[in-house]
Amino acid sequence: MLTDLWLNFLLLFMIFASIVALELKDVLSSIIALGVVGLGVSVSFLILQAPDLAIVQFLFEIFALIILILAFVKKPFHDFAPSVQSRWMSVLAVIAVLAVLGLSWEVFRLMPPFGEPLMKTSQFYLENGAAKTGAANLVSSVVLDFRGYDTFGEVTILFTAILGTFAVLRSTIKDKHAGGKHE
């Protein structure tokens, strides 16, 4: 019940941040709003007791934000005249980030200590992982054999993100050399 409440709150929060990202005129603010959405996804994975996915999502968001900020900040099309509306949106974005961090703190406090309780699934992997897969390393047997499709999906997501980043950077460079106007 409490989990559903938190997930619904995060879903609404991510929808709001997505709309803010679409409506903002400033590219940097939009990138930060997208980062807030990714942080919400990461916290959702934590609530659903998938810390490995939460860590991957969190790291991906950090790298994506760094790449996008490097691609768009200090570019001529990034110059804009600040307005009262953009200042309010910036204040709202800061409040939203602080709210997510504050809510995340409570989630971290509610998490059980690392390794406890040992779940039935992990107990099965510990007892049978090496014998069923023949792997010398138990972690490798879990990542590559038991969770092979999951790992394949994660690699696909990362590869797609890299391709998207290259597409954005390439179009920016082409427009710069062609003398095109940026929006």
Side-chain angles (χ1 to χ4, degrees):
M1 181 68 180
L2 186 62
T3 303
D4 292 340
L5 184 66
W6 280 107
L7 288 176
N8 288 333
F9 171 76
L10 282 173
L11 179 64
L12 291 175
F13 184 76
M14 289 187 289
I15 290 171
F16 175 74
S18 300
I19 292 171
V20 167
L22 289 173
E23 292 297 324
L24 287 174
K25 301 286 184 217
D26 181 32
V27 176
L28 180 61
S29 299
S30 294
I31 291 171
I32 292 172
L34 285 176
V36 169
V37 173
L39 184 62
V41 173
S42 180
V43 172
S44 299
F45 284 140
L46 269 179
I47 291 173
L48 294 172
Q49 298 184 352
D52 56 336
L53 292 177
I55 290 170
V56 168
Q57 178 68 30
F58 185 73
L59 291 175
F60 171 76
E61 287 302 323
I62 289 173
F63 289 129
L65 281 178
I66 290 171
I67 290 171
L68 288 174
I69 287 173
L70 288 176
F72 289 107
V73 173
K74 302 289 182 189
K75 303 294 182 198
F77 56 86
H78 185 257
D79 295 335
F80 74 103
S83 65
V84 174
Q85 181 185 10
S86 67
R87 288 186 192 134
W88 277 109
M89 294 305 282
S90 299
V91 169
L92 284 176
V94 169
I95 291 171
V97 169
L98 292 176
V100 167
L101 290 176
L103 294 172
S104 301
W105 176 257
E106 194 62 31
V107 170
F108 285 122
R109 284 190 44 209
L110 293 175
M111 291 182 65
F114 183 74
E116 294 179 15
L118 195 57
M119 296 180 206
K120 291 181 181 178
T121 305
S122 60
Q123 184 67 35
F124 173 80
Y125 290 148
L126 288 174
E127 292 173 355
N128 303 314
K132 285 194 176 270
T133 61
N137 186 337
L138 186 60
V139 174
S140 297
S141 71
V142 171
V143 170
L144 298 177
D145 288 328
F146 290 115
R147 296 183 56 206
Y149 289 121
D150 185 40
T151 303
F152 180 70
E154 291 170 355
V155 170
T156 303
I157 289 170
L158 288 175
F159 184 70
T160 305
I162 290 169
L163 286 179
T165 302
F166 279 130
V168 168
L169 292 175
R170 186 174 176 195
S171 68
T172 303
I173 292 171
K174 275 186 177 179
D175 288 344
K176 182 179 178 182
H177 290 300
K181 192 171 186 172
H182 301 279
E183 285 292 324

